[in-house]
Each structure stands twice: as C-alpha cells, then as structure tokens.
Amino acid sequence: MSLPIDKLAVHSPDFDTLTRIPEEFSADGGNRVPRVTFDGVPEGTVELAVIVHDPDAPLPQGFTHWVVYGVAADATELDIDADGIRQGPNTAGVTSYYGPQPPAGHGEHHYYFWVFALSRPVEGTPSREEFLDQYADAIIEQARTVGLFSR
C-alpha cells in the first residue's frame, strides 16, 4: 500500500531537514523537546499523530523516541500540554520525549519526525508498532522531516 505525501508538511524551527539536531535536544545534552510545526493538513483529518523514530539504532525495529496522539487537526504546532494530547510509550518504555542518544562511534543516525493525518481518532496510547498496525487504514496523509545526530 502506498501512502500519499502531498501537501502535509512537518518542520522543526530548531533544526533544518538533514542537518544536525542541536545537542540540547539530545538525551545527554538536556533532553529539551524540539518544536514541531505542521501545515497543509488535508481535508477530512480528525486528528494528527507524531512519531519520532531512529531506524539506524542497532535494534530489530530501530528506536522510537517519541509517540504523540490527539493533536488537533487544526494545530499548527505541537503543544504537549494541549487538551487531548497523549504520549505513548517509546522504546525506552517511557511516555515522554527521549532525545537522540546513539551508541558512541556508531556513526550518524537519522531521526524521522513523522506526522500522520488521520481519518479517525487514536484510542489509548499504542506503541509505534501498534499504531502502524492498527491505524494504517486511517492514515490520510503522512509527512516527515529528518534530523541527524551522532556521538
């Protein structure tokens, strides 16, 4: 199944696509949450979901750093304190942002900041894998920006 990447866009004012994520947003550098903005949300979107994932992590399914559900369809910026926002478990087993922390000397890792426009709301707080399995049919459109990080 091919999912569209059309007008929906996700950005971070804190780093440009395919550039290094600043140290302050890494797990060892302060673990600050980077700002995430959206535009071009397609018609019919009920809510947005955001997932930050590192496919370069030396684990069978990579490492999921952040899972966020319940983002309003008319949101232009991710506000984790907004009504309805729920954070799902990341690979570390916590329900919050976990900044980049690749193994030392493992080379440059790619951190995909995905936004998903959904035709139905996400129930509960599924993991990334559960979300992709259970809500693939509800994804109207998806977009991503990618930051880089190494130690």
Side-chain angles (χ1 to χ4, degrees):
M1 175 167 106
S2 174
L3 295 175
I5 298 179
D6 190 15
K7 295 190 179 14
L8 180 63
V10 59
H11 310 278
S12 177
D14 297 315
F15 62 90
D16 291 325
T17 297
L18 295 177
T19 65
R20 183 176 171 80
I21 296 171
E23 186 74 26
E24 66 197 81
F25 302 108
S26 73
D28 295 327
N31 214 36
R32 268 192 57 214
V33 176
R35 293 173 293 164
V36 179
T37 61
F38 321 104
D39 56 65
V41 175
E43 214 172 291
T45 300
V46 172
E47 76 173 51
L48 302 170
V50 174
I51 294 178
V52 179
H53 185 72
D54 171 11
D56 302 318
L59 297 168
Q61 295 188 13
F63 191 100
T64 299
H65 288 262
W66 202 19
V67 180
V68 183
Y69 303 113
V71 180
D74 62 352
T76 57
E77 185 167 349
L78 177 57
D79 176 1
I80 58 171
D81 295 321
D83 287 342
I85 297 292
R86 300 173 320 283
Q87 297 182 71
N90 60 32
T91 303
V94 296
T95 55
S96 62
Y97 173 76
Y98 189 98
Q101 191 181 43
H106 199 254
E108 196 152 67
H109 282 223
H110 298 77
Y111 295 85
Y112 285 74
F113 285 70
W114 286 99
V115 61
F116 298 91
L118 303 169
S119 63
R120 60 185 166 95
V122 174
E123 300 295 325
T125 54
S127 68
R128 171 186 163 268
E129 294 80 7
E130 292 166 337
F131 165 75
L132 293 172
D133 183 53
Q134 297 170 16
Y135 292 89
D137 65 327
I139 299 171
I140 298 170
E141 195 173 328
Q142 62 184 6
R144 72 189 179 295
T145 189
V146 182
L148 307 173
F149 197 83
S150 61
R151 297 189 319 159

